[in-house]
Amino acid sequence: MATGQVVKFTYEDYLLMEEEKRYEIIDGRRYMVAAPTPYQQWISARLEQVLRAFVETHDLGLVLDAPCDVVLSPTDIVQPDIFFIAQEHRDIVTERNIWGAPDLVVKILSPTTAQRDRDVKRKLYAAHGVREFWIVSPEGQTVEVLELGETGYRRTGLYARDEELHSPSFPELAIRLASVFTGP
């Protein structure tokens, strides 16, 4: 290998990595994913519960969560905290993974990865066509809702703990964030 050449990991390399640890690959670079805190797990469980109930009641598609491999490209493999795949896109669900972009991705920020999640993943998800991206801040007790447009994501709402979250993908859904951010 020539000096200064960067090795890019692929999905095939990813499959050979240690199973006891969670990794993501973004633009061929490997990142270890830290275990969530109990509070992050609580937030994730509450959001997923409400979203799944709504999606199943209206037969809109499928709600899944980490750890589940979402292969956006051979060099972009992520494990979103929560994600939604619309009925018309269920063909991206394979026996081993999700091969393509979900319609909605929910990321619950961790202090160690917050900057990467806000910047790198935002660009990654936009580039691969994720229609809606929620960025959940446990520390700030907010949810930023972003919708994909022609030039990338635009914010459709920044919801605080005492507000109801509204989603462009689910106009009839209102999530009371007080119940999400009230810890166990």
Side-chain angles (χ1 to χ4, degrees):
M1 179 186 322
T3 305
Q5 189 175 5
V6 176
V7 174
K8 284 198 171 203
F9 289 96
T10 66
Y11 184 62
E12 288 75 26
D13 299 320
Y14 174 85
L15 293 174
L16 300 173
M17 294 178 189
E18 302 170 60
E19 289 186 24
E20 304 82 43
K21 297 179 181 175
R22 286 180 48 206
Y23 294 100
E24 291 183 320
I25 296 177
I26 300 172
D27 192 29
R29 294 189 190 104
R30 180 177 74 165
Y31 297 94
M32 193 159 92
V33 178
T37 65
Y39 185 50
Q40 288 170 303
Q41 284 286 75
W42 170 264
I43 292 168
S44 181
R46 299 292 292 171
L47 275 174
E48 184 179 357
Q49 179 182 35
V50 172
L51 188 57
R52 177 174 279 127
F54 183 84
V55 165
E56 288 178 357
T57 298
H58 295 88
D59 195 29
L60 299 174
L62 184 64
V63 174
L64 298 171
D65 60 21
C68 182
D69 296 339
V70 174
V71 183
L72 299 171
S73 78
T75 57
D76 294 301
I77 301 97
V78 292
Q79 292 190 6
D81 294 313
I82 304 166
F83 57 99
F84 161 73
I85 299 167
Q87 287 290 22
E88 60 268 20
H89 300 134
R90 287 192 62 159
D91 61 333
I92 69 172
V93 179
T94 73
E95 188 176 314
R96 293 185 69 177
N97 56 41
I98 308 304
W99 197 270
D103 295 280
L104 164 70
V105 167
V106 179
K107 177 61 192 160
I108 299 162
L109 297 177
S110 167
T112 58
T113 62
Q115 195 62 39
R116 181 173 69 224
D117 294 333
R118 286 187 183 279
D119 297 334
V120 175
K121 285 192 179 171
R122 178 182 177 142
K123 291 174 187 169
L124 176 72
Y125 291 143
H128 287 282
V130 174
R131 293 184 320 185
E132 192 169 332
F133 182 35
W134 298 358
I135 301 173
V136 181
S137 171
E139 194 172 271
Q141 295 192 333
T142 61
V143 180
E144 181 178 14
V145 176
L146 304 167
E147 183 177 28
L148 188 59
E150 290 183 22
T151 59
Y153 285 118
R154 70 175 181 82
R155 181 191 286 180
T156 62
L158 178 62
Y159 302 98
R161 172 193 172 95
D162 60 345
E163 297 178 307
E164 284 188 344
L165 179 150
H166 297 276
S167 163
S169 295
F170 310 106
E172 297 169 11
L173 174 66
I175 300 175
R176 290 182 35 252
L177 292 179
S179 67
V180 170
F181 289 115
T182 300

